[in-house]
Amino acid sequence: MAKGGEENKRRATRRKGISTPAKPTGSGGSQRERDIVSDDQNGQNQNHQKDDRVPNVKSKLFSDIRQIDRQFGGSTPRVPTLYWLTGLVVFSFLSLATRLYRICEPTHIVWDETHFGKMGSWYINRTFFFDVHPPLGKMMIGLFGTMTGYDGSFTFSKPGIEYGDTEYVGMRALCAMCGSCVIPLSYDIVWELTHSLTAAVLAATLILLDTGTLILSQYILLDPLLLFFIMGSTHSYLKFYSYRASPFTLKWWVWLTCTGAMLACAISVKFVGLFVVLLVGLSTIKDLWDILGDLSQNMGYIVNHFLARVVLLIVLPVVLYMVFFAIHFQVLIKSGDGDGFYSTAFQSRLIGNRLHNASMPEAFAFGSVVTIKNSAVGGGYLHSHAHLYPEGVSVMQQQVTCYHHKDFNNEWIVMKPNQMPVPEDPVELIKHNDIIRLMHKPTLRTLHSHKERAPITSRHYQVTGYGFNGSGDANDFWRIEAVDGIDTHIGTVKTVFKLIHINRNCAVTQTTKKLPKWGYEQSEVSCNPHSTDHRSLWNIEEVTDARLPNVSVAIYAPSFLQMFMESHKVMAQGNRGLKPKEDEVTSQPWQWPIDYRGQVFSGASYRVYLLGNPVIFWGNLVVLVVFSGVYIFNGMKKQRRCEELVEVKEYNEKTFSACLWLLLAWALHYLPFWTMGRVLYFHHYFPAFLFSTMFTAVVLDYLLKSLWFWFPRDVAWNLYHLGLGLVFSIAVYSFYLFHPLAYGMHGPLANNETSTMYGLKWLETWDI
């Protein structure tokens, strides 16, 4: 009876959330766990007096861990304590200091500053351009440049050009400040996930001391802005989620709104921001599913939760995203180099474009001079120049290509099959199914095709410029077919047509291939036997013919929604078409986590090399492997229903939940790159790296605190601090070794004994 009563008492205590030691019978917990709990039970009264928020009976593990948390982290999750706030301030200061240190150096253009600095200048000058990324990041760069005295006059022609008197530091400072926010955000993200100050400090320290993240934050690039908004989205969502017990309060609404705004900004800088949208979306679905399963709430409550998230996590980001594009279109109103990537109607709104406020004939006739534009997304102009296809590629006749910029070499004269045009000819408008010839106005050679294969797309026929001043042969004849098939004249701008070769029955097509340097990297033009290809569709953009009456081109101006949709089609086409330039260093996704190859940012006397801190990068992989083993081991224990202390079980569940969520974030920001066919660079990995490093910090904190399971109290306490000190020491020392990667390497390369980086070229693929 005594034994039974004792057991009943123990069970009743457990139901209250208090663990008591089981007698050493069978498999009822490890001896170490029983010793821990027994040891803690002896001091429960004293602990209760110190902190009545902690259960009276605790395992020794949680007694010591909570002692650490009380010492450094505070008690309740939502109330910032002095130590938490001190850590936030310290890491904010250190991140800003490391990012702004030597921000002026080097005093020349670094890597992609040549692109994004130039685009900032175009915003300042209101000059339209084409880019594969949404506009927000570049608008921010241009705005901050204006605010800090930059006038938009610098050309940003190529890397290595000295800035001279140009006020470029302000634009770098914007990127550095956004990049510096990543560290305190990571600090609070880990705190929200674990409520462990140790894990938060570890995460912030590792990201602070990573050379790659530091380098990306110091220059005029989109990456620091993207990292800021990705981390801001993650942080806002976790803060919102932390108020799940008090929904529809002011703070709940504020953080939900912040999440939607941050998501909009992330995807408005780069489309990579879509990955954090997926992360928040999946988390929201899980959250709503849990709310649906709460049987204590009625359907009205559940619908309110659903509508709040729809409005602020879907509608708000979409509206903000479209607002950014509206600002983009309102600012960029002048003609620029990017006009040719867009439709004729789109170009008509750009001041300085030949189509802006222009008047031209509504149709064209035999004898008219025309420019012909491909109607596909991102289509170019039918173009030729006085250069031949090289020997061995195709027949050595004049090249015909597609060119995306306005040029006199885009002009063609429309002729009858066997007659040269003369000014006295009566006006005869071109109609559906007419037979025509097209003579290149600058070189007087005729558009021609024959049975020889195209230079790159071997299944197509070659298109060339042939003959001279109207002379040629039967392979110069083309039938113009309007897509709508109406037997009326072919209209300017609005009529889409095909050019069908009479002898070969193929259609003139702009292929997706680019010619090599001998073709000036312009798009290939071929004659496609499959005339259904959408890239064989063309329209007339400009007509010059004094015999024809003119109409205003303003009637073709598109609406905002039409411009918005066309911009996205052009950006998507541009992204798919991104290919590496000759001798350009690219990388593959498998290389990124192992820090296999970096990227040269600056050469010559001030060398900057984008490379992650190898100790941190490789440490992340080691920790991932260790965690996999620990997770599998705990899963086996759970499957075998091994007895476990309540606190241990709760602690494991909370920690593993945080780890798996961070792993999901890492996978969403990393794995999609394996499916992409476009050119990739090392810097694409850094959003995923941030989540990987926060995961490492959480796992290290878990492993260090687990020492209490395996060692006596005093030994575990000493090992905990020793391990923590070792991690911090290694991280700091590795940063000391590799900091010249970010702050400039001088002198000989690392393979020279006199180099400051001598002995640090741990992989042959590193260009240091």
Side-chain angles (χ1 to χ4, degrees), residues 4 39 126 128 255 371 508 571 583 639 674 712 723 766:
D39 189 33
R126 309 192 70 178
F128 188 78
W255 285 114
T371 59
V508 178
M571 287 189 292
D583 298 328
Q639 188 68 14
W674 287 79
W766 295 352

Side-chain angles (χ1 to χ4, degrees), residues 16-51:
K16 296 177 183 178
I18 304 174
S19 297
T20 58
K23 292 190 176 182
T25 59
S27 58
S30 69
Q31 180 64 41
R32 181 66 194 145
E33 288 178 349
R34 291 193 296 272
D35 291 344
I36 289 172
V37 177
S38 177
D39 189 33
D40 185 67
Q41 189 178 24
N42 294 331
Q44 61 181 324
N45 294 331
Q46 182 180 353
N47 288 338
H48 179 69
Q49 293 173 1
K50 288 177 63 178
D51 187 355

Side-chain angles (χ1 to χ4, degrees), residues 415-422 425 437:
M415 303 189 302
K416 291 184 176 181
N418 295 301
Q419 181 181 335
M420 288 288 291
V422 294
D425 285 343
R437 290 186 297 157

Side-chain angles (χ1 to χ4, degrees), residues 230-256:
I230 287 176
M231 296 295 280
S233 301
T234 307
H235 177 260
S236 297
Y237 175 76
L238 290 174
K239 294 293 287 187
F240 157 74
Y241 185 74
S242 71
Y243 288 94
R244 62 192 179 277
S246 52
F248 307 113
T249 58
L250 177 60
K251 290 182 179 180
W252 187 90
W253 284 110
V254 167
W255 285 114
L256 183 60

Side-chain angles (χ1 to χ4, degrees), residues 129-432:
F129 63 93
F130 163 71
D131 186 43
V132 297
H133 304 300
L136 178 61
K138 294 159 290 188
M139 288 195 295
M140 291 175 64
I141 290 171
L143 176 62
F144 217 76
T146 301
M147 293 171 59
T148 54
Y150 174 58
D151 60 5
S153 61
F154 191 68
T155 60
F156 286 93
S157 54
K158 63 180 181 179
I161 298 297
E162 289 289 333
Y163 280 115
D165 296 331
T166 302
E167 296 289 343
Y168 66 96
V169 177
M171 292 182 283
R172 282 189 181 176
L174 165 69
C175 297
M177 286 187 288
C178 287
S180 67
C181 290
V182 168
I183 286 89
L185 284 172
S186 68
Y187 173 85
D188 205 34
I189 286 171
V190 174
W191 168 256
E192 287 295 332
L193 285 170
T194 64
H195 303 307
S196 167
L197 193 68
T198 305
V201 169
L202 278 169
T205 300
L206 294 177
I207 295 174
L208 174 73
L209 300 178
D210 175 61
T211 50
T213 311
L214 169 60
I215 293 168
L216 284 178
S217 301
Q218 288 193 301
Y219 303 105
I220 306 171
L221 304 171
L222 296 184
D223 298 274
L225 310 180
L226 175 67
L227 295 178
F228 166 68
F229 288 122
I230 287 176
M231 296 295 280
S233 301
T234 307
H235 177 260
S236 297
Y237 175 76
L238 290 174
K239 294 293 287 187
F240 157 74
Y241 185 74
S242 71
Y243 288 94
R244 62 192 179 277
S246 52
F248 307 113
T249 58
L250 177 60
K251 290 182 179 180
W252 187 90
W253 284 110
V254 167
W255 285 114
L256 183 60
T257 304
C258 287
T259 303
M262 282 289 183
L263 291 175
C265 292
I267 200 170
S268 297
V269 173
K270 279 188 175 184
F271 287 124
V272 172
L274 177 63
F275 301 149
V276 76
V277 174
L278 291 175
L279 175 66
V280 172
L282 292 173
S283 301
T284 301
I285 292 171
K286 171 64 167 59
D287 188 23
L288 288 173
W289 185 255
D290 292 339
I291 294 172
L292 182 64
D294 185 359
L295 301 181
S296 66
Q297 302 295 340
N298 57 38
M299 286 305 297
Y301 176 86
I302 296 170
V303 169
N304 289 338
H305 269 283
F306 175 77
L307 291 177
R309 287 159 174 81
V310 167
V311 171
L312 293 177
L313 296 183
I314 298 177
V315 176
L316 176 63
V318 169
V319 170
L320 286 177
Y321 183 74
M322 296 182 73
V323 166
F324 294 141
F325 269 90
I327 297 171
H328 168 74
F329 293 140
Q330 287 297 315
V331 172
L332 302 184
I333 59 174
K334 298 180 182 178
S335 178
D337 289 342
D339 295 13
F341 290 93
Y342 293 81
S343 68
T344 304
F346 191 103
Q347 296 178 47
S348 66
R349 59 175 286 276
L350 298 174
I351 299 172
N353 189 289
R354 284 156 58 176
L355 298 174
H356 181 71
N357 289 338
S359 296
M360 67 175 64
E362 194 175 7
F364 67 107
F366 289 107
S368 299
V369 178
V370 298
T371 59
I372 306 172
K373 192 176 190 304
N374 191 274
S375 296
V377 175
Y381 297 98
L382 189 64
H383 176 95
S384 188
H385 41 237
H387 299 278
L388 306 181
Y389 288 104
E391 185 177 1
V393 174
S394 289
V395 176
M396 293 180 64
Q397 295 178 4
Q398 184 166 298
Q399 296 176 18
V400 174
T401 65
C402 256
Y403 188 52
H404 285 88
H405 304 282
K406 293 184 179 294
D407 187 273
F408 67 91
N409 278 321
N410 300 339
E411 296 179 348
W412 300 83
I413 302 172
V414 184
M415 303 189 302
K416 291 184 176 181
N418 295 301
Q419 181 181 335
M420 288 288 291
V422 294
E424 294 77 17
D425 285 343
V427 174
E428 188 176 345
L429 296 179
I430 305 298
K431 301 185 297 298
H432 172 62

